Amino acid sequence: MPELPEVETVRRGLRPAMEGGVIERVEQRRRDLRFPLPARFSARLAGRRVVAITRRAKYLLAHLDDATVLIMHLGMSGRFAVSHECAAGAGARSTARREAHEHIVFHMSGGARIGYSDPRRFGVMDLAAGDRLASHRLLAGLGPEPLAREFSPAYLNRALRDRRTSMKAVLLDQRVVAGLGNIYVCEALFRARVSPHREAASLAGRRRPGRALCRLVDAVRGVLHDAIEAGGASLRDHARTDGTLGYFQHSFAVYDREAGACPRFGCHGTVARETQSGRSTYWCPNCQR
DNA sequence: CTGTGTTCCTGTTCGC
DNA sequence: TGCGAACAGGAACACA
């Protein structure tokens, strides 16, 4: 599920349930997800007020009142579900269905129950000191946010100039730009009419970015913006914390549309699928160059 | 520096 | 209906 738009959608769902509230209790049903959870994980979170929930690339960050930060990554199959428990009292019982792969549950002071499920367990949770957040091993190497000013044609021009690898590979490289995954790389390249096989350096100008690079920056921003507005994409899982579905998957131009007609007006190409470094790439060989 | 393949893990889908 | 293979939104790592 989770590339930048999906993670942003999750962030927006978690905010009302967590921000300003106190984590009263944490149920931890495993010692590890992708990596071991930090020592005394539940104990360190209990009693802490959540000051803010922010996002960096595909990471969710819960800033706590003791200046620590809970870093969370959804991996491939991570999901948060927010529900509300009845006030304590006779017969009070959570109405939330317990999922098979629910590994962690946060119980908030306001009665919100936030369950984290992750069947494949590629997700990550870690705690970091707030003043050393930027140098945390998970965040240190990340490139600019694609929706920030810093991700400009001039920046991308510099980043691509010496790269001999494919455009697909550079855009997936979180050090170049942070937050894109397989879907949105395919979609952005399609919008920019750039082939995923195009050598990165060949798209860069000697001094200034050319037109294709400007189109690409716009395409990346545009597709992320549109996807966020649609509440992300829901392929197999629910992307939103309230269980409702995002609907951007209906707007995919090429992703998962192998053999479909190229949606570009006037192009009569057919969407192709190829494996590039072990992952499916979808593109129109007719209009993407 | 490069691309490629493997690994982590489980669930779903597809072809026979 | 059953069964095995292929594949899945991520990312680190080993290797040639």
Side-chain angles (χ1 to χ4, degrees), chain A residues 70-144:
Chain A
L70 170 60
I71 303 174
M72 299 173 280
H73 193 291
L74 303 173
M76 290 277 256
S77 59
R79 218 182 337 177
F80 279 103
V82 175
S83 57
H84 286 270
E85 318 179 87
C86 310
R93 190 145 294 193
S94 170
T95 52
R97 262 202 327 279
R98 161 94 167 271
E99 290 190 45
H101 297 282
E102 191 174 70
H103 307 306
I104 293 168
V105 183
F106 301 100
H107 296 271
M108 302 300 297
S109 53
R113 175 191 190 280
I114 298 151
Y116 176 71
S117 314
D118 187 356
R120 295 178 73 177
R121 299 205 304 276
F122 291 165
V124 177
M125 288 201 194
D126 200 6
L127 287 165
D131 56 355
R132 270 175 271 148
L133 188 60
S135 56
H136 188 278
R137 69 181 178 92
L138 295 170
L139 307 178
L142 294 175

Side-chain angles (χ1 to χ4, degrees), chain A residues 7-161:
Chain A
V7 177
E8 177 60 24
T9 299
V10 171
R11 185 184 81 88
R12 293 177 183 190
L14 288 180
R15 280 189 68 189
M18 293 191 93
E19 265 187 16
V22 171
I23 302 172
E24 289 195 331
R25 189 164 59 89
V26 178
E27 290 175 62
Q28 180 186 336
R29 306 215 172 94
R30 293 190 62 91
R31 316 184 58 129
D32 55 62
L33 295 172
R34 178 169 188 184
F35 304 116
L37 290 160
R40 302 182 53 251
F41 181 67
S42 304
R44 289 173 68 186
L45 292 173
R48 300 275 59 83
R49 185 174 295 279
V50 178
V51 176
I53 309 267
T54 62
R55 178 188 58 73
R56 171 76 174 105
K58 299 173 197 171
Y59 291 92
L60 287 165
L61 306 172
H63 303 260
L64 308 178
D65 62 358
D66 63 351
T68 61
V69 178
L70 170 60
I71 303 174
M72 299 173 280
H73 193 291
L74 303 173
M76 290 277 256
S77 59
R79 218 182 337 177
F80 279 103
V82 175
S83 57
H84 286 270
E85 318 179 87
C86 310
R93 190 145 294 193
S94 170
T95 52
R97 262 202 327 279
R98 161 94 167 271
E99 290 190 45
H101 297 282
E102 191 174 70
H103 307 306
I104 293 168
V105 183
F106 301 100
H107 296 271
M108 302 300 297
S109 53
R113 175 191 190 280
I114 298 151
Y116 176 71
S117 314
D118 187 356
R120 295 178 73 177
R121 299 205 304 276
F122 291 165
V124 177
M125 288 201 194
D126 200 6
L127 287 165
D131 56 355
R132 270 175 271 148
L133 188 60
S135 56
H136 188 278
R137 69 181 178 92
L138 295 170
L139 307 178
L142 294 175
E145 286 287 319
L147 294 174
R149 256 180 237 284
E150 200 188 343
F151 180 67
S152 62
Y155 164 80
L156 199 55
N157 200 57
R158 262 178 277 121
L160 302 196
R161 211 156 32 192

Side-chain angles (χ1 to χ4, degrees), chain A residues 152-170:
Chain A
S152 62
Y155 164 80
L156 199 55
N157 200 57
R158 262 178 277 121
L160 302 196
R161 211 156 32 192
D162 302 319
R163 300 282 300 240
R164 322 243 69 193
T165 188
S166 67
M167 282 308 302
K168 174 80 187 289
V170 269

Side-chain angles (χ1 to χ4, degrees), chain A residues 162-231:
Chain A
D162 302 319
R163 300 282 300 240
R164 322 243 69 193
T165 188
S166 67
M167 282 308 302
K168 174 80 187 289
V170 269
L171 292 182
L172 274 178
D173 187 340
Q174 303 296 300
R175 295 167 301 186
V176 173
V177 58
L180 299 179
N182 203 37
I183 292 176
Y184 295 103
V185 167
C186 291
E187 293 296 310
L189 286 169
F190 171 78
R191 287 193 185 198
R193 283 180 276 135
V194 172
S195 164
H197 300 287
R198 180 81 179 264
E199 184 184 290
S202 78
L203 214 58
R206 274 182 186 286
R207 293 192 50 90
R208 298 185 174 287
R211 218 173 316 163
L213 257 194
C214 294
R215 274 205 317 265
L216 185 56
V217 168
D218 283 347
V220 167
R221 291 226 182 95
V223 75
L224 295 178
H225 178 266
D226 293 351
I228 289 169
E229 210 146 76

